[in-house]
Amino acid sequence: MSGESPSPSPPPLPSSPSKAEYFPLTVINTTNKRSHTTHTTHTDAIASSSKLPLRAPLRSNNSGSRNSSRHSQQGQSPSLSIQTQHLLADQNDTVNSLEMGREYYIEDDASKPLKSDVSPISYSSIEDEAGSEMSISEIAKKPNESLYIKKCALVNQEIDRMGMGKYQWHIWALCGLGYLLDLLIAQGFGLILGPIEQEFGFSSNQSGAISVSFSIGMTVGALFWGILVDIVGRAWAYNCTVLISAIFGTLLGTSNSYETFLVLTACVGFGVGGNIPIDTTITLEFIPQKNRRLLPLLSIFQPIGVVMCTGLAYKLIPQYSCSPNFSELVPLQSCNAVPFGEACCGRDQFGNANNMGWRYLLYCVGGITIVAWLLRTVVFRFRESPKFLLYKGRDDAAVEVLQQISKFNGRDCTVTLEDFEKLTMEYERIHGTTAVLGGSNQEKATFKQKAKLELSRYKLLFSSWPVAWLTILVWCTYAADYFGFTVAGTYLPTVIAKKNADIHLSLEDTYASYPLIYLPGVAGVALGVMCYDLPRAGRKITMVFSSFAMGASLFAFASINTQAGNIGVNAMEYFFQSMFNAVLYGFTPEAFDAPIRGTACGLSSFWGRVAGMVAPLIAQRFLPSSPHAPVSAYDNVLYLAGAVTMCCVVFTALLPSKMVGSHSN
């Protein structure tokens, strides 16, 4: 692409002239009228021996096609007008170097221009199986976008040209592993709640503190890593979040008091809280636009993580729990509640009953997290996001990353540093000003300028009544959804264990049922992704239906207590919960315009996590205070979770259909 490279030879004519008509093509410099003639067709890409690397095909309208045929029959060449954006300087070439935006004419002998629907073409324009890409001139002229956004458009075009290569699949799988760890860890707290309550001796109205600690850690983590990821980069945060989760997750198993356990739980949440937002951002920045359905499909890793956790719990907790265990009517008392020397529930030491099962589970979860960290740091080397590098004004580093990814995929990279330099020049020429928050001037921007830009994004969420209505409904949906599944994830394992004990099923039977309950979640995510493209607001209908079925399942569980019924209704609840969340997480970024997309998603998740912190504090008040209470006393928490979940039905039904998915492109 450089001006010093030798001029390519004119393309050879195909052997079958019946497919297109050929004619001499004269490229004329409108300033000095020097010309060069080559052979081509009006249907194939133009490649002259000048430094005019035109790759996009000429697509003339019907009139032009007819005129082309007429001229060809008369021995004349047709004339087409092409807007070009850049020409490389070469004094020895027939076509001299020109300024950006100079117009070229391809004329016939009569020198009469012929209209055509040819789009502006530059040497950086590429056309592949995904369709025509935008030229630098077109990108530069797009209104109301910063230079940074325009440079990101060039990166997107290069990523689209690559397609789903090996690097993209590695990224998707490793980010999916982050999703897996999220629920692998979160589900563990629900599965060990009974054993640690029995060992540490805290009451039921204190059980919500575990979920609250985890939610606080996740909220702080999401805020902290969300800010830091734009300061230190994606790669550093991508690896640190998993490492923090691995370290503190493993240390959780060493806790000797409830207070220590809560502090370590918050630290684990701090790592996990930044994991999913970062994984989502990285996946979105590296996969082609035509493969964006893989983004909501990341949710399929979450039920897989739950199934893994429940499978480990089945093998460890029943075998290494105190007897009588927490699900029985009169469980063994905590060592914190009896004098030293009496039989009590504690660690396998000092003659106490063996309650190491929940600790072994946490060690296994921590070990899996460490393996995930090694895969993401040692086995596979993650390259920094080109978009982050562009934001920091490091255009050369962004190009280097794209070249490394292309090499990993076995392809050639077509974007060069000159592309970004010329885009900057074109942007400043069109706007008549130097860009502040778009590229090399990013570091020079004042705090006031940055703050003003960020505040303007928040205002856009309420810029009009329809957008404000959409924003409020999405926030309410997230709050109700997080409230419902936090209560369900925290207390359903305990409720199931109590109900099964009431019908004389062992603790081993209870934990054996968990994989059967959570495995259908994989199919729920897959069905949710399939429903994305249903005609007439498929996303909206899917969310309304799945949230209703999720709430109905919780109500049904309150009135059922058989082994098959307990498994069936809970499997149905998790199936529709997975289906709903897969659609919701994919729908949210589509519902808002690009300038406020990240802000909208971040705030929606924030309000959801706030609801997740409040949910256990409210739910624990609906639990019986005595471990000897009848099973029916636990139904109140099911009614609470079901009622709040049903609010999602109302909120999603009120969503404006014309805005659902309207900004996906």
Side-chain angles (χ1 to χ4, degrees), residues 552-627:
S553 302
L554 291 169
F555 285 126
F557 186 39
S559 59
I560 293 175
N561 192 17
T562 64
Q563 184 176 14
N566 292 345
I567 294 175
V569 294
N570 280 282
M572 185 171 73
E573 188 276 334
Y574 193 67
F575 174 88
F576 288 111
Q577 175 185 321
S578 302
M579 181 180 180
F580 177 80
N581 286 331
V583 178
L584 178 64
Y585 296 159
F587 145 80
T588 307
E590 290 186 330
F592 295 91
D593 284 316
I596 57 173
R597 187 170 293 159
T599 302
C601 293
L603 287 175
S604 298
S605 179
F606 169 79
W607 290 117
R609 296 194 188 283
V610 170
M613 285 189 287
V614 175
L617 298 178
I618 297 175
Q620 69 184 16
R621 298 180 179 275
F622 289 81
L623 292 171
S625 57
S626 172

Side-chain angles (χ1 to χ4, degrees), residues 23 77 123 141 159 287 497 658:
F23 47 85
S77 59
Y123 81 94
K141 291 177 181 177
I159 295 294
I287 63 174
K658 67 178 181 179

